[in-house]
Amino acid sequence: GGAVNVGAIDDLEALAEIARQQSLWFHVDGAFGAMGMASARLRPHLRGLERADSLAFDFHKWLHVNYDAGLVLMRSEETHRRAFAANPDYLKRADEGLAAGDPWPVDYGPELSRSFRALKVWAQLAEHGPDKLGRLIDQNCDQAQYLADLVDAHPKLKRVAPVDLNICCFVYNGDEALNEKIVIRLQTDGIAAPSTTRINGQLAIRVNITNHRTQYSDLDLLVAEIIRIGDELSVV
């Protein structure tokens, strides 16, 4: 759920049913979209997520945890360990000492030496709680819709994709090179940090709002600066 390019939501219920009928493993790459489960507003649109055989998502995207912190949930611990566990002679298990304990954490993924990413995730949830984080997710979605309304209202801007979550993709009137230059100027002038993407083959300005500090005034400024820079570059 929550395609990274435009924030579109897949029909997870239908995909889960296809996987069931065909005896397929149903994996959901939740990226940032799975965090929508913390939002009462978005949760119904993610129906079917609970049927996944495995789910991956990143805390650093929409729970505002410092980069990097990801998680994979597996419905079957045994299947998960069969896929990743390795027991070469130099990693022999023991009943006591440093090699004691089975399974080891490394049996659950490709990394042999892993950092303690879970601490910052736990601290974030312990300090703020899921309800507050869910409200911030709603806020980002409202801000993306606000930006879409600004874009739709301006004759020199055109939206190129629907806004379902927290991403708004649009273009300034002109060719791809001009839009590319606008994004670079926004970044190098320290105004904002949008990216570019391609929607149906067309280069677009992509604004992905996942920051709890984003203000509506930031979006007003963004649109005003895009118009100013676009007009300036069009004259040159």
Side-chain angles (χ1 to χ4, degrees):
V4 174
N5 213 22
V6 297
I9 303 174
D10 295 324
D11 188 344
L12 299 176
E13 194 74 74
L15 291 172
E17 188 58 27
I18 291 171
R20 185 192 66 79
Q21 293 174 3
Q22 301 296 323
S23 298
L24 299 173
W25 186 271
F26 180 36
H27 174 73
V28 175
D29 183 359
F32 69 87
M35 291 293 91
M37 291 297 286
S39 160
R41 180 199 311 180
L42 298 180
R43 197 175 301 128
H45 298 290
L46 297 172
R47 189 174 294 109
L49 187 68
E50 73 282 354
R51 296 177 62 181
D53 294 303
S54 56
L55 168 66
F57 59 93
D58 298 319
F59 290 101
H60 61 249
K61 287 179 177 165
W62 218 358
L63 276 190
H64 322 292
V65 173
N66 292 341
Y67 190 87
D68 65 335
L71 180 70
V72 177
L73 294 175
M74 305 289 291
R75 187 169 296 280
S76 168
E77 179 184 2
E78 180 185 357
T79 302
H80 192 176
R81 282 196 285 115
R82 280 207 314 268
F84 292 107
N87 300 110
D89 291 339
Y90 56 85
L91 293 179
K92 183 178 180 297
R93 272 52 168 170
D95 295 329
E96 298 179 279
L98 294 176
D102 190 27
W104 291 359
V106 297
D107 292 337
Y108 294 97
E111 296 184 28
L112 182 59
S113 301
R114 55 181 53 216
S115 60
F116 189 17
R117 294 181 177 92
L119 176 60
K120 56 190 175 184
V121 175
W122 174 86
Q124 185 84 335
L125 291 169
E127 173 65 21
H128 299 292
D131 291 341
K132 179 180 179 180
L133 294 170
R135 290 195 300 272
L136 290 173
I137 289 172
D138 285 344
Q139 177 176 289
N140 287 158
C141 292
D142 290 339
Q143 290 168 335
Q145 186 58 60
Y146 177 79
L147 175 58
D149 292 341
L150 293 178
V151 169
D152 292 344
H154 203 289
K156 293 186 178 180
L157 301 176
K158 178 184 178 182
R159 190 153 48 88
V160 296
V163 173
D164 290 326
L165 292 176
N166 59 322
I167 297 174
C168 183
C169 296
F170 58 96
V171 294
Y172 173 92
N173 290 348
D175 59 21
E176 289 192 357
L178 176 58
N179 279 270
E180 188 90 61
K181 289 177 182 177
I182 291 172
V183 169
I184 292 173
R185 276 284 301 276
L186 288 168
Q187 296 171 356
T188 56
D189 289 355
I191 297 167
S195 61
T196 61
T197 189
R198 288 194 174 274
I199 307 297
N200 296 323
Q202 177 185 14
L203 185 138
I205 300 170
R206 177 179 177 271
V207 179
N208 179 9
I209 308 172
T210 57
N211 197 316
H212 61 282
R213 295 175 296 179
T214 299
Q215 303 294 319
Y216 287 92
S217 58
D218 296 329
L219 304 175
D220 293 328
L221 175 66
L222 173 65
V223 169
E225 289 297 293
I226 287 175
I227 299 302
R228 180 185 67 80
I229 295 171
D231 290 349
E232 176 186 317
L233 294 175
S234 297
V235 172
V236 174

